[in-house]
């Protein structure tokens, strides 16, 4: 009888142990960390930030307009600085333009040049690590042959969405964050905007944690029930990192999406967007490819998360809002209805101002649209939010993306020009350029490949 009881106790203990082991192994963990020994206690907070842009050749702003470091130059500068590891996550890998594409788009060669620079990292003794949702990309297969380590994330199995995150982390010290993907068009025909940040290991360490989350999801077909401690966020919207950018004080943190990819302490993109909108006092400028507060593919439901915040800012806080939306072949016709609805909210209301414009690139003879504005950012009087996702309900619900918030404390008298002011200037340059159409007189016309905006 006694030995039977013993048996049961031992059996129970073994069961407990097995469950524990299973739990430990189901958590995403990372190995081989800490070669450089930088931790959140002794990381660098004296950072340098540079705004980088790709302005397509057929877009020209006035000579005196604000201009920034070309995206390709920013990325090359990161590759020049790399000593140990370059980590890249990108929604797309299509740097190798075809001969046909580069014959009529000379700038398309930039993609090939970047690809060969990436292939050359190995010779410099630099590790190239790529997380990707593209299971069957030929380009990634070629890179893997050139000693890149590629981890595939099966987003279909995890969230039924896509991996839309787009950033680089170099030696956990420098990083790129922005709208561009590893697609030759991002270096040639699409208007892209991002930042390159140097000597900023605190923030780079946190972005590296987002990368590590994707890295650890390689070929998993379920989301772990709890995340490793090494993926917890270091900073968030309630406890942002205090740092300096070009010797000027600022605060920053990284957000991410969707909700099921949020380890402890990480703010979601929607929380970040909502904080930035709520803290704006005077203006909110939004530059986005698509704006569509709808959820669902076949049947649509109104998705109020961002639309509601904008309404509150307009009505309750009298903040001036400008929306710059891209006008291209995939612009959803209902976009105009939602803009009209926002605008009508302000009718006959004192100090309520919503303006919308459409960035309208040139249509090429073959029907393709060049120079599409692929920017995804928001700038207010105090902060910027750079994101990877379009402002569409489905994006935030199913797709993986990340965001970077930088805010400038009020009342700093002596300071240099800040990234917030530079981004505001970039927005105003686009807003007042000859490539925008007023949103009020726009009527949607449909065509097999493209739409037109008819001015009334
Ligand atoms: C940072 O701190 C860790 C442990 O706290 C230590 O191992 C490492 O050497 C430190 N690195 C530097 C650059 O001071
Ligand atoms: C740029 O130049 C144009 C005309 O050349 C002028 O109208 C405009 O005010 C200038 N803008 C700035 C910011 O100096
Ligand atoms: C890029 O594409 C060309 C043909 O279009 C091919 O010859 C070349 O091998 C490709 N290079 C890589 C690195 O994929
Ligand atoms: C990704 O997940 C889906 C759904 O679980 C599955 O059908 C598909 O085979 C997986 N793809 C790969 C490459 O593992
Ligand atoms: C609108 O703004 C002006 C100036 O900021 C202010 O004087 C006025 O009282 C405001 N009106 C309302 C109705 O808030
Ligand atoms: C402005 O930047 C320069 C170097 O770029 C720095 O020496 C100076 O201290 C900065 N000024 C302020 C007020 O931050
Ligand atoms: C920060 O300094 C670099 C040069 O060191 C400069 O290129 C960049 O524009 C500055 N950034 C801001 C936001 O002023």
């Amino acid at each position: 009888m006694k030995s039977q009881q013993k048996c049961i106790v031992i059996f129970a203990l073994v069961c407990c142990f097995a469950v524990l082991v299973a739990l430990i192994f189901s958590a995403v963990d990372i190995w081989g960390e800490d070669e450089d020994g930088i931790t959140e206690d002794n990381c660098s907070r004296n950072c340098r930030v540079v705004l980088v842009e790709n302005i397509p050749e057929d877009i020209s702003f006035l000579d005196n307009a604000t201009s920034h470091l070309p995206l390709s130059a920013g990325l090359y500068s990161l590759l020049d600085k790399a000593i140990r590891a370059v980590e890249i996550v990108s929604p797309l890998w299509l740097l190798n333009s075809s001969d046909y594409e580069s014959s009529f788009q000379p700038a398309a060669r930039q993609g090939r040049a970047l690809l060969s620079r990436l292939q050359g990292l190995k010779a410099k003794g630099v590790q190239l690590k790529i997380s990707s949702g593209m299971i069957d990309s030929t380009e990634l297969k070629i890179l893997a042959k050139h000693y890149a380590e590629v981890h595939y994330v099966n987003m279909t199995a995890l969230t039924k969405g896509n991996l839309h995150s787009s950033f680089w982390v170099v030696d956990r010290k420098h990083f790129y964050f922005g709208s561009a993907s590893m697609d030759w068009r991002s270096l040639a025909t699409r208007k892209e905007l991002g930042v390159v940040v140097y000597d900023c290991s605190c923030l780079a360490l946190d972005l590296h944690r987002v990368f590590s989350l994707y890295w650890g999801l390689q070929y998993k077909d379920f989301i772990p029930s709890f995340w490793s401690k090494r993926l917890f966020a270091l900073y968030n919207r309630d406890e942002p990192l205090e740092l300096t950018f070009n010797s000027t004080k600022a605060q920053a943190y990284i957000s991410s999406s969707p909700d099921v990819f949020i380890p402890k302490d990480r703010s979601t993109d929607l929380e970040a967007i909502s904080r930035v909108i709520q803290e704006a006092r005077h203006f909110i400028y939004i530059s986005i490819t698509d704006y569509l507060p709808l959820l669902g593919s076949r049947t649509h439901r109104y998705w109020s998360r961002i639309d509601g915040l904008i309404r509150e800012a307009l009505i309750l806080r009298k903040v001036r809002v400008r929306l710059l939306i891209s006008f291209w072949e995939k612009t959803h016709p209902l976009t105009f209805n939602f803009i009209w609805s926002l605008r009508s909210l302000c009718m006959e209301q004192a100090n309520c101002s919503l303006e919308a414009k459409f960035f309208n690139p040139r249509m090429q003879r073959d029907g393709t649209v060049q120079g599409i504005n692929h920017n995804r950012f928001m700038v207010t009087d105090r902060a910027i939010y750079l994101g990877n996702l379009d402002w569409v309900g489905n994006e935030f619900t199913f797709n993986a993306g990340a965001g970077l918030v930088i805010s400038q404390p009020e009342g700093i008298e002596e300071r240099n020009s800040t990234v917030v002011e530079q981004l505001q200037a970039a927005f105003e340059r686009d807003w007042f350029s000859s490539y925008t159409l007023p949103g009020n007189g726009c009527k949607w016309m449909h065509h097999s490949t493209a739409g037109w905006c008819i001015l009334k």
Side-chain angles (χ1 to χ4, degrees), residues 328-347:
W328 61 309
E329 68 256 39
K330 294 211 177 121
T331 303
H332 196 290
L334 282 174
T335 305
F336 301 98
N337 300 42
F338 286 108
I339 298 304
W340 180 83
S341 157
L342 277 176
R343 192 198 303 279
S344 57
L345 198 67
C346 274
M347 272 176 201

Side-chain angles (χ1 to χ4, degrees), residues 283-286 377-381 383-384 420 423-424 427:
F283 66 85
I284 299 168
Y285 296 163
I286 296 162
F377 72 82
M378 161 166 64
V379 57
T380 73
D381 41 287
I384 68 173
V420 179
L423 200 60
Q424 181 189 345
F427 180 91

Side-chain angles (χ1 to χ4, degrees), residues 327-329 360 363 444-447 449-453:
F327 186 71
W328 61 309
E329 68 256 39
N360 188 40
M363 187 91 68
W444 179 258
M445 296 284 290
H446 226 23
H447 186 258
T449 54
W452 285 282
C453 185

Side-chain angles (χ1 to χ4, degrees), residues 187-397:
L187 300 166
T189 59
R190 282 198 317 215
K191 192 170 157 300
E192 308 275 7
L193 184 142
V195 288
V196 172
V197 176
Y198 303 99
D199 299 312
C200 203
S201 48
C202 288
L203 209 49
L205 213 56
D206 206 21
L207 194 56
H208 164 75
R209 290 187 168 209
V210 179
F211 180 84
S212 299
L213 188 148
Y214 308 140
W215 189 252
L217 286 172
Q218 142 129 302
Y219 287 132
K220 283 212 186 324
D221 53 8
F222 62 93
I223 294 168
S225 37
F226 63 87
W227 301 101
S228 156
K229 199 166 160 256
R230 284 164 157 175
L231 301 175
F232 292 179
L234 298 173
Y235 317 101
N236 57 35
R237 69 172 186 172
D238 296 318
E239 285 174 47
L241 169 68
E242 307 274 348
L243 76 175
T244 61
F245 280 122
N246 289 20
S247 315
T248 304
K249 273 191 192 162
Q251 296 180 328
Y253 61 94
I254 309 284
S255 59
S256 76
S257 291
D259 288 354
V260 290
F261 277 11
I262 300 290
K264 189 163 173 284
D265 298 332
R266 177 80 58 208
S267 299
T268 65
D269 281 317
L270 286 170
E271 285 168 347
I273 289 171
S274 109
R275 180 62 59 89
V276 170
I277 290 181
Q278 282 166 352
E279 287 186 349
R281 289 286 158 271
H282 305 293
F283 66 85
I284 299 168
Y285 296 163
I286 296 162
S287 181
I288 200 81
T289 310
D290 290 314
Y291 181 81
L292 192 67
L294 284 180
L295 191 61
S297 51
R298 243 165 283 138
T299 54
H300 291 310
R301 269 176 296 135
Y302 173 56
W303 182 77
S304 62
R305 294 291 294 273
I306 295 179
D307 211 49
L309 290 166
I310 294 178
R311 284 164 194 271
E312 269 175 34
L314 284 170
I315 293 292
L316 302 182
R317 295 197 308 282
K318 306 285 181 195
V319 179
R320 201 154 57 93
V321 177
R322 280 179 174 164
L323 265 168
L324 182 59
I325 302 168
S326 295
F327 186 71
W328 61 309
E329 68 256 39
K330 294 211 177 121
T331 303
H332 196 290
L334 282 174
T335 305
F336 301 98
N337 300 42
F338 286 108
I339 298 304
W340 180 83
S341 157
L342 277 176
R343 192 198 303 279
S344 57
L345 198 67
C346 274
M347 272 176 201
E348 307 193 8
Q349 288 255 17
N351 298 351
C352 182
S353 164
L354 179 113
E355 294 168 278
K357 283 189 182 182
F358 289 89
F359 196 92
N360 188 40
R362 301 233 175 85
M363 187 91 68
Q364 300 296 297
R365 252 169 284 138
D366 62 356
T368 61
V369 180
Q370 302 287 334
I372 174 182
N373 187 13
H374 200 242
N375 289 182
R376 296 184 175 116
F377 72 82
M378 161 166 64
V379 57
T380 73
D381 41 287
R382 338 180 33 170
I384 68 173
Y385 167 83
L386 294 180
N388 294 148
L389 301 179
D390 271 319
W391 288 19
V392 174
N394 286 356
E395 286 265 310
F396 289 95
T397 314

